[in-house]
Amino acid sequence: MSSTVAEPLLSARAVSKSFGHHQVLHDVSMTVAPGEVTCIIGPSGSGKSTFLRCINHLEKIDGGQLWVDGERVGYRRRGDKLYELRESETARRRADIGMVFQAFNLFAHRTALENVIEGPVVVRRRDRRSATERALQLLDRVGLADRAGHYPSQLSGGQQQRVAIARALAMEPKLMLFDEPTSALDPELVGEVLEVMKDLARDGMTMIVVTHEMGFAREVADVVHFMADGRLVESAPPARLFGDPQHERTRGFLSKVLA
């Protein structure tokens, strides 16, 4: 009986990125399988957020290769040369990758419902009626059905971040990226956002999460990557990485954040 292994949804090979003379990513390689939850941990300034931004071509890589669902990120090969995609094509591909930022990035002058339907109507060209119906379902899923008519200024930080998650899900992404989604929240609001993310993980959403929430990484991740100084230092299932880290740099970091 033959078995098949699914192709990675994300494949990163020797990805490098510099800002001026400062190299922030050094040959970062990883794969993420469909349905997998991947957490990236590490000290501030280690390149974690930059790597996420490279995945959806918000930042252009200087070296290496990135693929999402079999498509090269940001470029197309013709013969032996690579050509950067036009912005319209980049935007089309970016629509398949949901991203939730540290800051909520909601439109302040639009309600929660209007924030969620914006992408499907403008980018996906969905009719407003079906987009509204779907948006209401997503707001209900993140526990905000009764806040659909509220503006961001009328919502708590945790509620705004849950609207941001609903907005990303409305695009029906193949991959969800979370860039420290709880770092801007008051401690008592962190749990409500993490519960939504856990629910997504249970439903099989492919997720890459940059996080300082070690409990979440330990509980939900299939694989945890530790980054430091722009390098991928160590990768392992959470039980092994947290219980028996192999690299001295990993041990030093965990001794501080788990103390």
Side-chain angles (χ1 to χ4, degrees), residues 103-172:
F104 319 124
N105 290 358
L106 299 178
F107 295 115
H109 61 292
R110 293 181 178 164
T111 65
L113 177 62
E114 290 167 343
N115 267 279
V116 176
I117 69 173
E118 176 78 7
V121 170
V122 174
V123 180
R124 296 289 196 194
R125 304 297 184 187
R126 303 280 162 77
D127 68 273
R128 185 167 291 272
R129 183 175 178 178
S130 63
T132 299
E133 182 178 332
R134 176 61 175 157
L136 289 171
Q137 293 173 350
L138 290 169
L139 287 172
D140 182 56
R141 179 174 185 175
V142 299
L144 293 173
D146 60 340
R147 298 290 192 271
H150 286 57
Y151 291 90
S153 62
Q154 298 171 309
L155 302 174
S156 70
Q159 290 170 336
Q160 290 184 62
Q161 194 62 294
R162 284 186 279 154
V163 172
I165 293 172
R167 179 179 60 182
L169 292 174
M171 297 295 287
E172 301 178 357

Side-chain angles (χ1 to χ4, degrees), residues 71-88:
E71 291 189 319
R72 187 186 296 268
V73 173
Y75 298 89
R76 178 179 286 111
R77 179 177 291 280
R78 291 179 190 159
D80 58 353
K81 291 185 178 181
L82 289 178
Y83 296 88
E84 188 169 5
L85 298 177
R86 287 185 298 227
E87 182 55 37
S88 60

Side-chain angles (χ1 to χ4, degrees), residues 36-213:
E36 189 172 77
V37 178
T38 295
C39 284
I40 305 176
I41 64 173
S44 297
S46 58
K48 307 183 300 295
S49 295
T50 298
F51 180 66
L52 280 197
R53 292 175 64 84
C54 289
I55 291 173
N56 61 8
H57 205 54
L58 290 174
E59 299 288 354
K60 300 176 185 178
I61 63 176
D62 298 318
Q65 302 169 40
L66 272 168
W67 284 272
V68 173
D69 197 27
E71 291 189 319
R72 187 186 296 268
V73 173
Y75 298 89
R76 178 179 286 111
R77 179 177 291 280
R78 291 179 190 159
D80 58 353
K81 291 185 178 181
L82 289 178
Y83 296 88
E84 188 169 5
L85 298 177
R86 287 185 298 227
E87 182 55 37
S88 60
E89 180 70 4
T90 297
R92 183 191 69 76
R93 294 191 183 185
R94 192 178 287 140
D96 291 329
I97 305 172
M99 187 158 186
V100 178
F101 299 87
Q102 298 176 41
F104 319 124
N105 290 358
L106 299 178
F107 295 115
H109 61 292
R110 293 181 178 164
T111 65
L113 177 62
E114 290 167 343
N115 267 279
V116 176
I117 69 173
E118 176 78 7
V121 170
V122 174
V123 180
R124 296 289 196 194
R125 304 297 184 187
R126 303 280 162 77
D127 68 273
R128 185 167 291 272
R129 183 175 178 178
S130 63
T132 299
E133 182 178 332
R134 176 61 175 157
L136 289 171
Q137 293 173 350
L138 290 169
L139 287 172
D140 182 56
R141 179 174 185 175
V142 299
L144 293 173
D146 60 340
R147 298 290 192 271
H150 286 57
Y151 291 90
S153 62
Q154 298 171 309
L155 302 174
S156 70
Q159 290 170 336
Q160 290 184 62
Q161 194 62 294
R162 284 186 279 154
V163 172
I165 293 172
R167 179 179 60 182
L169 292 174
M171 297 295 287
E172 301 178 357
K174 300 172 182 177
L175 172 66
M176 281 285 285
L177 308 177
F178 293 86
D179 186 10
E180 298 185 15
T182 61
S183 64
L185 300 179
D186 292 333
E188 66 269 21
L189 302 177
V190 169
E192 64 190 50
V193 174
L194 293 181
E195 281 304 314
V196 170
M197 295 170 64
K198 290 175 185 178
D199 181 60
L200 293 177
R202 285 189 289 267
D203 279 359
M205 173 63 72
T206 310
M207 299 161 57
I208 304 176
V209 185
V210 169
T211 185
H212 291 299
E213 301 292 338

